[in-house]
Amino acid sequence: MPVEQGKVMKGCVLWFRRGLRLHDNPALLKALSAKTEFYPIFIFDGRTAGISKDTSYNRVRFLLESLQDLNQQLQIHHGKLHFIKGDPACVFEALHKVIPLESVSFEQDPEPIWESRDVRVKTVLDEQGIKWFEEVSHTLWNPLKVIDTNGGVPPLTYQMFLHTVSVIGAPPRPVDDPDWAGVKFGSLPAELGEGIQVFESIPTPEQLEYFPPQISNELIIQWVGGERKALSKMQERLKVEKNAFLNGYYLPNQARPDLLSPPTSQSAALCFGCLSVRRFYWAVHDMFNHIFSGHGQSNQHITGQLIWREFFYTMSVKNPYYGEMERNPICLNLPWAENKELARKWESGQTGYPFIDAVMRQLHQEGWVHHVARNAVACFLTRGDLWLSWEVGLQIFLRELLDADWSLCAGNWMWVSSSAFEQLLDCSTCVCPVNYGRRLDPQGEYIRRYIPELRNYPEEYLYEPWRAPLDIQEKAGCYIGQQYPERIVDHSVASQKNRKIMEDIRLSLVSHTPHCCPSNVEEVRQFMWLPESCTDHLCVDQK
Ligand SMILES: Cc1cc2nc3c(=O)[nH]c(=O)nc-3n(C[C@H](O)[C@H](O)[C@H](O)COP(=O)(O)OP(=O)(O)OC[C@H]3O[C@@H](n4cnc5c(N)ncnc54)[C@H](O)[C@@H]3O)c2cc1C
């Protein structure tokens, strides 16, 4: 037990789960304000931060890099981040035996999937008389407050969400950076008890038994985790935002999708909390106000994508079944087919549709794909072509994405597959895997990058290689059905059949009780990156 001048020193713990940063961290300020010995810890329990035993190597690496970055920053202040493997409730019980804990602070994890973990930990802390503090900083607004303000239920449309948060007011600004002067870091014994492992240093993925995939292609885009990287990337990102404002548009990553340049996305950093969402939000709004000296219309729309994040989080808060179909009250029970073989081909980038396969291969290789690319593969798996349940896609995305986030991922899957948004059941906005790809990647560079088999195909056949005559296939060194697969469905046939099923279901729906749905057609167009010419009644692939 730590002893100072005959007194047993008490300790305060900052329990990192997400929120892996020192800036804008109210839980950190709370822990430091106690002026006792300070113990920053991360508990690896095979769940926290969305890491399970199936999680991809890329994602685990990103997490461990983020922890390493925190550790290095704490070392500058003569401390360290303690990495402990075990069950969180047991870890706190064991810790309290060796260090009398005064308090434990942590950031709110608002989704219901964390509730059982948090209830168990809070119970143990209460039983031991240890104070605990849960601070809101993973979201712009406290989702519970949004729900309260909306009369006890989450807003069902994005527009309703905007209205509700306008009643609450602007989100809080980031809190101050910590003052490290006088902070005393405590040290932990090497052993804490059975079933608990205290690591000397931050482990590698391999030490935690995660191994890299066997991929022959070298990584084209390498993502690096950590707060310092995220903050410097934010500066790059702000330049892109500024350029957009000066050129009269906003939401640059979504308005002008670029599949080839190094991405300026912050989604993985936001997901693990290496970057504070409030820091990002206010940096964009302050810059906008600065550029237009208060004369521009700085409104929520300039950070509209961050509001989608809030919307999906809030919607999931009281719904433990949000990530599934049958028990989920906001999800329609659509009669999806079951076909493991088709699902496997989709997952492994072997559908025979080059744009779809390129996206899935990039996902496996690098762990991040653009929003429009996610839309394309999600639509293809579900209502567009294969008619397989969105739950299949959700599991793969949660495993592979660096930014995998239970509520955001499930919310988007329901949205794209029309599972919770029945206004779209006519499938009018179905995305064609050929035309959509062509619009996004007109020269086919993206396809050539991720599908080396097709590298020598002429542009004319790159999106539909099954149409290439045999002599072209031979010249390109890739026969369809041999080096690259035949298409697994005929899109025009499959999408028509699916559209008919959707239409029948829509007509059979008698209940018009309020449900979550898109606010209007324009919102669908923006979300799915559909062309201006796409009307509510015409399918993009029919044009
Ligand atoms: C099927 C599907 C699954 C998805 N799964 C996830 C996921 O697990 N985690 C995740 O962070 N995003 C998910 N998205 C949303 C979106 O694709 C990514 O957030 C986006 O690609 C990140 O790129 P960006 O940072 O350049 O976005 P920007 O346009 O720069 O947006 C800024 C931030 O806003 C948030 N955001 C943007 N779009 C959305 C959206 N549609 N829903 C919720 N938040 C959004 C992200 O945190 C993003 O970093 C999914 C989308 C689809 C279609």
Side-chain angles (χ1 to χ4, degrees):
M1 236 177 234
V3 176
E4 193 178 74
Q5 293 169 351
K7 274 193 317 188
V8 175
M9 275 292 279
K10 287 198 156 197
C12 277
V13 169
L14 171 61
W15 179 21
F16 281 107
R17 298 106 67 90
R18 290 186 281 191
L20 305 181
R21 61 177 183 272
L22 304 182
H23 73 277
D24 190 26
N25 191 333
L28 168 62
L29 296 191
K30 193 81 199 172
L32 294 181
S33 69
K35 308 279 182 215
T36 60
E37 285 200 328
F38 176 53
Y39 296 85
I41 66 172
F42 180 85
I43 304 174
F44 183 79
D45 61 350
R47 283 189 66 211
T48 291
I51 302 294
S52 73
K53 67 177 179 12
D54 293 332
T55 300
S56 69
Y57 178 85
N58 283 335
R59 183 168 157 77
V60 174
R61 185 178 44 76
F62 193 95
L63 166 72
L64 295 173
E65 283 166 359
S66 305
L67 296 177
Q68 187 61 269
D69 181 63
L70 270 183
N71 186 41
Q72 287 166 357
Q73 294 195 73
L74 292 168
Q75 281 171 347
I76 297 170
H77 303 293
H78 313 291
K80 72 180 276 193
L81 175 68
H82 303 282
F83 187 100
I84 304 172
K85 191 173 170 190
D87 168 70
C90 301
V91 168
F92 284 113
E93 254 176 341
L95 265 180
H96 193 49
K97 287 191 185 137
V98 288
I99 307 148
L101 294 181
E102 182 169 307
S103 69
V104 175
S105 309
F106 45 90
E107 182 182 64
Q108 181 204 51
D109 255 343
E111 301 151 298
I113 45 170
W114 312 115
E115 202 172 310
S116 62
R117 175 200 64 187
D118 287 357
V119 167
R120 285 188 57 227
V121 168
K122 288 172 187 172
T123 308
V124 164
L125 298 179
D126 286 341
E127 282 167 1
Q128 311 276 342
I130 304 164
K131 288 181 276 181
W132 52 265
F133 302 100
E134 187 173 27
E135 305 287 336
V136 177
S137 52
H138 190 65
T139 47
L140 291 169
W141 293 275
N142 184 347
L144 298 172
K145 184 159 185 195
V146 177
I147 291 173
D148 263 8
T149 310
N150 193 50
V153 287
L156 292 173
T157 66
Y158 181 80
Q159 289 302 325
M160 269 168 79
F161 187 91
L162 282 179
H163 173 74
T164 309
V165 294
S166 75
V167 173
I168 298 176
R173 285 201 169 255
V175 297
D176 292 340
D177 286 345
D179 175 5
W180 293 102
V183 173
K184 272 200 216 99
F185 286 86
S187 54
L188 289 185
E191 302 276 326
L192 272 179
E194 218 184 300
I196 299 175
Q197 191 181 353
V198 181
F199 283 68
E200 267 282 300
S201 54
I202 307 298
T204 60
E206 287 80 358
Q207 283 172 298
L208 296 175
E209 299 189 5
Y210 292 88
F211 299 98
Q214 310 290 320
I215 292 173
S216 50
N217 270 11
E218 83 263 26
L219 280 187
I220 297 160
I221 296 161
Q222 172 101 44
W223 295 85
V224 180
E227 176 180 22
R228 287 176 294 181
K229 186 81 189 164
L231 286 172
S232 76
K233 263 193 96 174
M234 187 181 81
Q235 295 311 321
E236 294 301 309
R237 175 60 193 264
L238 288 175
K239 289 182 197 154
V240 179
E241 297 281 330
K242 183 173 181 183
N243 181 50
F245 292 151
L246 293 174
N247 285 291
Y249 64 102
Y250 55 94
L251 298 179
N253 281 15
Q254 307 299 327
R256 312 226 167 141
D258 176 358
L259 302 188
L260 294 164
S261 310
T264 56
S265 171
Q266 291 284 15
S267 55
L270 289 169
C271 169
F272 286 108
C274 306
L275 176 65
S276 142
V277 65
R278 304 191 292 207
R279 171 71 73 92
F280 186 35
Y281 173 96
W282 281 111
V284 175
H285 280 269
D286 288 346
M287 185 178 66
F288 184 94
N289 287 330
H290 180 73
I291 294 174
F292 298 104
S293 319
H295 297 304
Q297 277 228 314
S298 167
N299 212 320
Q300 300 297 4
H301 63 262
I302 63 167
T303 43
Q305 302 308 81
L306 295 179
I307 311 293
W308 278 106
R309 180 177 182 269
E310 300 285 312
F311 174 58
F312 286 132
Y313 268 131
T314 306
M315 184 103 70
S316 79
V317 164
K318 293 196 171 162
N319 181 359
Y321 305 120
Y322 193 71
E324 50 185 275
M325 181 174 81
E326 278 183 21
R327 292 185 293 174
N328 183 347
I330 66 158
C331 182
L332 291 173
N333 274 339
L334 297 180
W336 300 114
E338 258 192 52
N339 188 325
K340 289 207 166 90
E341 189 52 16
L342 286 184
R344 193 189 58 73
K345 288 186 169 156
W346 173 82
E347 181 193 344
S348 57
Q350 298 287 338
T351 67
Y353 282 93
F355 184 69
I356 301 298
D357 293 342
V359 175
M360 293 309 289
R361 294 188 196 186
Q362 184 186 22
L363 176 68
H364 286 289
Q365 277 173 234
E366 294 163 8
W368 187 89
V369 291
H370 195 283
H371 181 66
V372 288
R374 297 180 199 204
N375 278 336
V377 295
C379 203
F380 186 86
L381 179 78
T382 57
R383 68 191 163 100
D385 293 84
L386 301 186
W387 195 258
L388 300 178
S389 171
W390 61 273
E391 291 163 293
V392 174
L394 173 66
Q395 291 318 317
I396 309 296
F397 269 33
L398 287 179
R399 191 185 72 201
E400 297 295 331
L401 279 173
L402 296 177
D403 62 27
D405 206 317
W406 183 75
S407 16
L408 305 192
C409 209
N412 275 283
W413 271 101
M414 278 188 271
W415 213 99
V416 176
S417 65
S418 287
S419 294
F421 305 92
E422 65 208 58
Q423 279 183 358
L424 288 187
L425 281 181
D426 56 0
C427 195
S428 60
T429 47
C430 162
V431 174
C432 168
V434 172
N435 294 351
Y436 196 65
R438 213 175 243 139
R439 256 186 89 215
L440 282 162
D441 177 34
Q443 271 83 48
E445 281 177 66
Y446 179 72
I447 289 179
R448 291 200 174 91
R449 183 185 281 183
Y450 291 100
I451 311 199
E453 306 95 286
L454 296 178
R455 209 163 263 164
N456 299 324
Y457 262 63
E459 213 174 288
E460 188 187 351
Y461 299 111
L462 202 49
Y463 302 87
E464 303 164 277
W466 60 87
R467 286 184 44 241
L470 268 183
D471 61 320
I472 302 267
Q473 297 188 23
E474 185 179 3
K475 207 165 152 216
C478 172
Y479 287 106
I480 301 308
Q482 291 181 26
Q483 286 83 8
Y484 183 72
E486 294 277 4
R487 60 187 168 157
I488 55 175
V489 283
D490 178 337
H491 173 71
S492 54
V493 176
S495 62
Q496 237 175 47
K497 187 171 145 221
N498 297 349
R499 198 173 302 134
K500 171 86 176 67
I501 307 176
M502 287 286 201
E503 205 176 298
D504 290 348
I505 298 170
R506 185 163 54 94
L507 294 175
S508 71
L509 285 173
V510 278
S511 141
H512 287 287
T513 47
H515 58 276
C516 61
C517 57
S519 320
N520 50 51
V521 172
E522 188 49 35
E523 191 175 290
V524 179
R525 198 195 310 279
Q526 271 197 18
F527 190 97
M528 302 287 292
W529 200 70
L530 298 173
E532 285 292 315
S533 54
C534 172
T535 71
D536 195 21
H537 304 294
L538 289 175
C539 188
V540 182
D541 62 303
Q542 290 175 326
K543 295 182 175 195

